[in-house]
Amino acid sequence: QVHLQESGPGLVKPSETLSLTCSVSGGSIRSYSWSWLRQPPGKRLEYVGDVYNNGKNSHNPSLESRVTILTDTTKNQFSLKLTSVTAADTAVYYCARLVLSGTFYFDYWGPGTLVTVSS
Amino acid sequence: EIVLTQSPGTLSLSPGERVTLSCRASQNIINSFLAWYRHKPGQAPRLLIYAASTRATGIPDRISGSGSGTDFTLTISRLEPEDFAVYYCQQYGSSPLTFGGGTKVEIK
């Protein structure tokens, strides 16, 4: 069984960089693609971005170029960095495994971690 | 982008009852590329259905999905305790992928 767990600071100051890590157990991250999603309070789930198994990335255009997603195969983890955060980036952030065979849905998720942007 | 509207917002039901949840899209969803997830507070969301009607690994046959075009449904034939949760639909036929606002199924 694949398990994912998000970790990182729960509070980030405006204009700083949000950094989260997703630890994956029960399987290697090498052969799969991985994603980050988020849900702001009272709003819908939103796709943030992903890293494909070929190392390439994609991200939600609404986040412009603020998103970086990387894998660390030695630790079986992947990470999210979101720069220049504002209060609008306050959300529960989820990591997930992406099913990418002509499709684009998520078959395993972490429980999520709340990140609040506030001074 | 495709907007997904889920209804109803909340359902109050008893264990053993049957429930049908609706997910309506603002545009046709290509190839019926629609997934359903179940989410209990504090837990990881769980994939139930993909491609509108295909059960994910380990999902019992009392849970089923159907639909095409713009109208999709998730049906649970007999509610079990683990089914009391929030359900989300997600389309992946068009970019950007989008989620519905969710339907909460609560214990009556």
Side-chain angles (χ1 to χ4, degrees), chain A:
Chain A
Q1 183 78 351
V2 177
H3 288 282
L4 290 78
Q5 181 67 56
E6 305 88 352
S7 60
L11 182 64
V12 181
K13 290 183 168 54
S15 80
E16 295 191 347
T17 296
L18 180 159
S19 296
L20 294 174
T21 297
C22 183
S23 298
V24 180
S25 60
S28 171
I29 68 168
R30 291 177 186 273
S31 302
Y32 293 92
S33 299
W34 304 91
S35 298
W36 288 95
L37 303 100
R38 69 182 185 179
Q39 187 167 30
K43 296 189 176 182
R44 297 184 176 211
L45 279 160
E46 177 184 35
Y47 162 72
V48 173
D50 43 58
V51 56
Y52 301 127
N53 56 6
N54 61 7
K56 294 188 176 180
N57 293 90
S58 178
H59 64 268
N60 189 325
S62 69
L63 297 172
E64 300 173 333
S65 57
R66 297 194 294 133
V67 176
T68 301
I69 300 175
L70 299 173
T71 58
D72 183 341
T73 55
T74 64
K75 296 181 179 178
N76 222 41
Q77 296 175 336
F78 63 104
S79 62
L80 168 68
K81 289 191 188 303
L82 182 65
T83 61
S84 305
V85 297
T86 69
D89 294 310
T90 293
V92 176
Y93 284 76
Y94 298 93
C95 59
R97 192 173 81 173
L98 173 63
V99 179
L100 192 67
S101 299
T103 62
F104 210 103
Y105 59 89
F106 311 96
D107 61 350
Y108 291 99
W109 297 60
T113 187
L114 174 62
V115 179
T116 302
V117 178
S118 174
S119 55

